[in-house]
Amino acid sequence: MGRTPKGRTVMEVGADGVALITLINPPVNSLSFDVLNSLKESYEEALRRDDVKAIVITGAKGKFSGGFDITAFGGIQAGGEVSKPGFVSVEILTDTVEAARKPSVAAIDGLALGGGLEVAMGCHARISTPNAQLGLPELQLGIIPGFGGTQRLPRLVGLSKALEMMLMSKPVKGVDAHSLGLVDAVVAPDQLVKTARQWALDILECRRPWVHSLYKTDKLEPLGEAREILKFARTQAQKQAPNLKHPLLCIDVIEAGIVSGPVAGLWKEAEAFQELLHSDICKSLVHIFFAQRGTSKVPGIADLGLVPRRINKVAILGGGLMGSGIATALMLSNYPVILKEVNEKFLQAGIGRVRANLQSRVKKGAMTQEKFEKTFSLLKGVLDYESFKDVDMVIEAVIENVSLKQQIFADLEKFCPPHCILASNTSTIDLNLIGEKTRSHDRIVGAHFFSPAHVMPLLEIVRTQRTSPQVIVDLLDIGKKIKKTPVVVGNCTGFAVNRMFSPYTQAALLLVEHGADVYQIDRAITKFGMPMGPFRLVDLVGFGVAIATGGQFVQNFPERTYKSMLIPIMQEDKRAGETTRKGFYVYDDKRKASPDPELKKYVEKARGISGVAIDPKLMKLSDKDIVEMIFFPVVNEACRVYAEGIAVKAADLDIAGVMGMGFPPYRGGIMFWADSLGSKYIYSRLEAWSNLYGGFFKPCAYLAERAAKGAPLVRNLKLVFVHHINT
């Protein structure tokens, strides 16, 4: 039996002589090779038929096309069925669609992204609905537009706007696309196809222009000015993403078309697209793309057929930075929120933080004043539990104090309705310990947000062995509604993210006490792609938080934690990080960090307490050595988390590290990156360091087992892409 085609097109010819070609490949009409070949065949048939005067292309079920079918990447990267997909841009879109002797119009609704927009730009005109999304987001996947987008978009909207749309993967709505010149008219969805049909006939009758966008020049700047724009774009790309090659390659391809002509630009685009498809960065970013969309597919939960319950009202205990941030995130998605504090002063401070969070959106133009007033009205501040009798979920966000949390959960059990979800935002404390004094273990769950909670995209959903599957389903739904990526993990100290990254700062402290330089470590880690190094991060979160969370790991994993007194010593001297303007760095009025020469005396004192000697080798570490000595212990702990089943899938740990800690997505996440280096190599390095510097570096049993077999860390690792594009 032959394989089942992945998508198709259908063609209907109306009495007006217009052939309507519809792209069909649910859910977003992605452009598989089957769809592209079918499009070519439909086009050729329309051109042959005498009863066809003009052509309209549209997408089924209100979506034009979400772009090239990413599920085909695996086959391409492995040398699969089509070896040079980039050349589709010339053979199909340029030679067939754009060069056709019959006019064509794209009727765009819903999405026209990536290859979808490139197909539309190959037509002689484009009609859109007001809220359609048009863009070229390919750079998010480590590639560039490969179906002619690098050549046609600058000729339709101008070089500067085209660079912004491509380099920032920034889509525009139909209304804005019209003002830019990307589409020719904007109409209501029910008038879209009718208008497009008439527009195509008007082109045929010379009542409207017959435009070949590939050869348009009126929007292109003069060559000298264009080169200055491209030079500035290169500088910005190198500054913002120094480890990435594909943004610069995209700029080179655009320039080739401007300097040498659009056809030369198309061929250069095709070659660059093909080269990037095989790059490690593309493989990493495609892995992250699918991993992010797979986090809600939790075995034993997603397959039970449970329907999320309606959450009408949420209460939050604690109006500090985390509580106010969580309240903001919920209110932005129209959830009414009750904020409880212990006294009026703290309550007003919490309400003020929420107000400030929302006002910052108004200042940035992301929210109107009217929307601000409506959103802020969703918040109610209280000092007691009287209003908790009809809430559907409570999120506790008080300080990390076990006895305080135990008392709160005992109170919640008394004052909340029996169906109410009892969630804690704790970042490290075992949920069984928190719920020890209650009988409601089936509805206790962790809802761990990351700071700032209304900005950071990750929601770590922590389940105990007794947490109800219904509660997990409810939390997954809430996470989606408040625009977070939810990752379900098991219950333990630190859960997945904080436990996995607990060695991050410890490794840095170990290196410094053995002779490495604080600022060299931070520079090397930032150069690797992290938003900041471990010491700058400690300054940001504050020494109090660092000591409290570190204490949890020392208490629960004493055999593999590195116990340094450096941070407590500095705290005794009234250094607490950025808030006191002194930590590992010193800070000016604008919170700009600078190295502190005084740091040396604290390091020497801590070294004396730890009783370690300076190792001359660690004073001359390369950036590569620093990265490995900081991150291989993180990999080691991630292996434990994976082997213990705290994370259901290794890909969930990759997403958790990227979205919770800022691990560079173009490296694919912590486990994906580790497997690119090999289990044997990581094991051998950790084993050597453990012999030199102690048990902190000792490889765990799972890592040792995988290395002995020469096996990847991720079980059943292969290049598999699940056909699931969640829009």
Side-chain angles (χ1 to χ4, degrees):
M1 290 179 64
R3 68 174 182 84
T4 305
K6 290 179 67 177
R8 60 196 171 97
T9 63
V10 296
M11 185 174 78
E12 302 171 63
V13 180
D16 56 0
V18 176
L20 179 67
I21 299 175
T22 304
L23 307 169
I24 304 172
N25 190 12
V28 294
N29 301 322
S30 54
L31 299 174
S32 65
F33 294 115
D34 290 321
V35 171
L36 289 166
N37 287 328
S38 180
L39 174 63
K40 187 173 188 288
E41 289 166 8
S42 294
Y43 238 86
E44 288 170 345
E45 182 187 344
L47 295 176
R48 282 195 308 270
R49 287 175 57 165
D50 293 336
D51 61 334
V52 174
K53 300 176 185 176
I55 300 163
V56 168
I57 305 178
T58 193
K61 297 187 177 178
K63 295 184 179 77
F64 186 78
S65 173
F68 182 61
D69 186 356
I70 301 171
T71 62
F73 277 28
I76 297 164
Q77 290 167 335
E81 58 175 312
V82 178
S83 60
K84 295 188 176 180
F87 289 80
V88 169
S89 66
V90 177
E91 187 179 338
I92 297 179
L93 296 183
T94 303
D95 294 347
T96 304
V97 176
E98 193 167 40
R101 63 185 185 279
K102 297 178 182 180
S104 61
V105 176
I108 301 167
D109 194 10
L111 302 170
L113 300 175
L117 179 57
E118 289 173 295
V119 167
M121 290 192 292
C123 296
H124 304 116
R126 285 150 298 284
I127 314 297
S128 170
T129 56
N131 292 316
Q133 293 280 316
L134 298 88
L136 297 177
E138 285 89 345
L139 270 75
Q140 289 182 335
L141 296 173
I143 54 173
I144 65 171
F147 293 172
T150 61
Q151 305 306 307
R152 289 187 177 89
L153 189 61
R155 288 167 170 79
L156 286 167
V157 304
L159 183 56
S160 293
K161 187 63 184 179
L163 283 164
E164 177 191 317
M165 288 178 68
M166 283 185 267
L167 296 178
M168 297 177 67
S169 296
K170 192 173 181 180
V172 294
K173 284 191 171 182
V175 173
D176 300 319
H178 183 224
S179 64
L180 290 168
L182 181 55
V183 301
D184 299 277
V186 174
V187 298
D190 61 353
Q191 296 295 308
L192 179 62
V193 173
K194 179 183 175 184
T195 304
R197 296 180 87 108
Q198 187 57 53
W199 202 285
L201 291 171
D202 287 348
I203 293 174
L204 183 69
E205 298 297 330
C206 301
R207 290 192 291 269
R208 294 196 186 276
W210 191 320
V211 178
H212 293 78
S213 59
L214 189 62
Y215 297 98
K216 258 175 71 76
T217 57
D218 58 300
K219 288 284 185 79
L220 288 179
E221 292 80 356
L223 187 57
E225 187 180 336
R227 280 191 157 137
E228 284 301 310
I229 292 169
L230 291 163
K231 182 181 176 183
F232 177 75
R234 276 194 189 91
T235 303
Q236 290 298 106
Q238 286 172 320
K239 182 179 176 183
Q240 291 172 12
N243 293 336
L244 299 182
K245 170 186 175 183
H246 63 286
L248 298 175
L249 201 49
C250 183
I251 296 168
D252 290 346
V253 168
I254 294 168
E255 184 170 35
I258 291 171
V259 173
S260 304
V263 175
L266 282 180
W267 288 108
K268 188 171 179 66
E269 176 194 83
E271 290 166 6
F273 182 79
Q274 178 66 19
E275 176 191 335
L276 290 169
L277 270 177
H278 295 275
S279 70
D280 290 340
I281 284 175
C282 176
K283 291 171 186 173
S284 297
L285 289 171
V286 169
H287 168 71
I288 289 295
F289 178 90
F290 283 108
Q292 184 179 351
R293 282 150 184 80
T295 60
S296 58
K297 292 185 172 181
V298 186
I301 298 291
D303 48 7
L304 293 177
L306 295 171
V307 178
R309 293 176 294 182
R310 184 176 174 82
I311 304 296
N312 295 306
K313 189 189 292 186
V314 181
I316 295 170
L317 276 79
L321 287 174
M322 287 305 300
S324 59
I326 295 167
T328 306
L330 288 160
M331 291 159 59
L332 286 170
S333 293
N334 297 314
Y335 282 100
V337 172
I338 294 170
L339 183 66
K340 181 185 180 301
E341 261 296 358
V342 293
N343 59 47
E344 188 65 29
K345 180 184 174 184
F346 283 5
L347 180 60
Q348 290 308 315
I351 291 171
R353 290 186 189 98
V354 176
R355 183 188 292 110
N357 290 340
L358 295 173
Q359 284 176 336
S360 73
R361 293 177 66 83
V362 176
K363 287 176 187 173
K364 292 172 184 173
M367 177 182 273
T368 64
Q369 186 62 33
E370 183 185 359
K371 178 66 174 169
F372 164 82
E373 301 290 349
K374 187 177 178 182
T375 304
F376 189 61
S377 70
L378 293 169
L379 182 67
K380 176 185 176 183
V382 300
L383 295 173
D384 56 37
Y385 288 108
E386 182 62 30
S387 302
F388 281 50
K389 60 181 179 293
D390 62 345
V391 296
D392 301 303
M393 181 169 78
V394 178
I395 302 174
E396 167 272 307
V398 303
I399 58 172
E400 295 286 71
N401 180 295
V402 173
S403 58
L404 174 61
K405 289 178 188 284
Q406 287 177 336
Q407 183 57 55
I408 285 171
F409 272 74
D411 290 341
L412 290 174
E413 192 174 47
K414 294 175 194 170
F415 292 103
C416 297
H419 73 275
C420 179
I421 298 167
L422 307 178
S424 174
N425 180 56
T426 180
S427 57
T428 55
I429 302 172
D430 188 313
L431 290 174
N432 288 323
L433 194 58
I434 290 174
E436 200 174 71
K437 296 182 179 179
T438 75
R439 297 182 303 279
S440 304
H441 295 281
D442 61 326
R443 52 192 177 120
I444 291 177
V445 68
H448 180 210
F449 292 78
F450 293 77
S451 186
H454 57 296
V455 175
M456 293 293 280
L458 186 68
L459 172 60
E460 198 174 32
I461 299 172
V462 187
R463 57 176 170 175
T464 71
Q465 290 185 331
R466 290 184 279 183
T467 305
S468 159
Q470 181 64 60
V471 168
I472 302 300
V473 168
D474 295 341
L475 259 291
L476 285 167
D477 184 58
I478 291 166
K480 186 177 179 182
K481 285 177 177 170
I482 63 174
K483 299 177 177 62
K484 303 294 182 191
T485 296
V487 174
V488 177
V489 300
N491 179 42
C492 65
T493 300
F495 315 128
V497 179
N498 284 338
R499 179 176 159 189
M500 181 168 60
F501 274 82
S502 60
Y504 182 63
T505 302
Q506 292 176 37
L509 290 166
L510 182 151
L511 292 183
V512 166
E513 289 195 4
H514 284 79
D517 178 66
V518 163
Y519 305 114
Q520 186 195 357
I521 289 170
D522 270 7
R523 282 193 301 271
I525 297 302
T526 306
K527 189 176 173 183
F528 174 75
M530 293 293 286
M532 60 188 71
F535 296 108
R536 180 67 184 85
L537 179 64
V538 171
D539 275 3
L540 180 66
V541 302
F543 285 12
V545 172
I547 291 169
T549 55
Q552 287 285 327
F553 295 112
V554 170
Q555 184 181 335
N556 287 278
F557 311 119
E559 76 289 350
R560 61 177 189 267
T561 50
Y562 183 75
K563 304 165 191 67
S564 169
M565 289 302 294
L566 179 54
I567 294 174
I569 288 168
M570 293 168 70
Q571 191 184 44
E572 282 176 13
D573 207 15
K574 295 186 170 54
R575 287 176 175 251
E578 196 175 305
T579 53
T580 58
R581 295 196 184 178
K582 279 190 175 183
F584 286 98
Y585 294 80
V586 289
Y587 298 87
D588 62 18
D589 292 344
K590 295 180 180 178
R591 297 199 167 188
K592 183 183 176 183
S594 300
D596 186 359
E598 288 188 16
L599 189 64
K600 187 178 177 182
K601 68 180 183 184
Y602 299 108
V603 173
E604 288 174 353
K605 189 173 180 182
R607 187 180 292 136
I609 294 171
S610 297
V612 300
I614 290 177
D615 182 343
K617 292 195 294 294
L618 296 192
M619 297 178 73
K620 298 180 288 185
L621 286 173
S622 67
D623 285 355
K624 175 179 176 290
D625 286 333
I626 290 172
V627 166
E628 291 182 356
M629 293 188 85
I630 297 290
F631 277 112
F632 283 7
V634 175
V635 171
N636 201 24
E637 196 62 36
C639 285
R640 290 188 180 98
V641 170
Y642 181 47
E644 291 169 20
I646 300 299
V648 179
K649 305 186 292 288
D652 287 350
L653 293 178
D654 289 334
I655 287 297
V658 167
M659 295 193 161
M661 291 298 294
F663 191 84
Y666 55 82
R667 298 193 188 277
I670 193 73
M671 295 293 276
F672 190 91
W673 172 71
D675 269 328
S676 74
L677 300 175
S679 57
K680 277 188 173 182
Y681 177 70
I682 294 171
Y683 173 83
S684 66
R685 294 284 274 171
L686 286 169
E687 185 68 17
W689 297 329
S690 69
N691 291 332
L692 290 170
Y693 308 112
F696 172 75
F697 286 111
K698 186 171 178 56
C700 69
Y702 178 80
L703 176 54
E705 174 203 327
R706 302 303 283 180
K709 294 177 180 175
L713 296 176
V714 181
R715 292 180 286 258
N716 301 319
L717 179 69
K718 47 187 174 179
L719 193 62
V720 173
F721 298 105
V722 180
H723 188 75
H724 176 70
I725 303 174
N726 183 353
T727 58

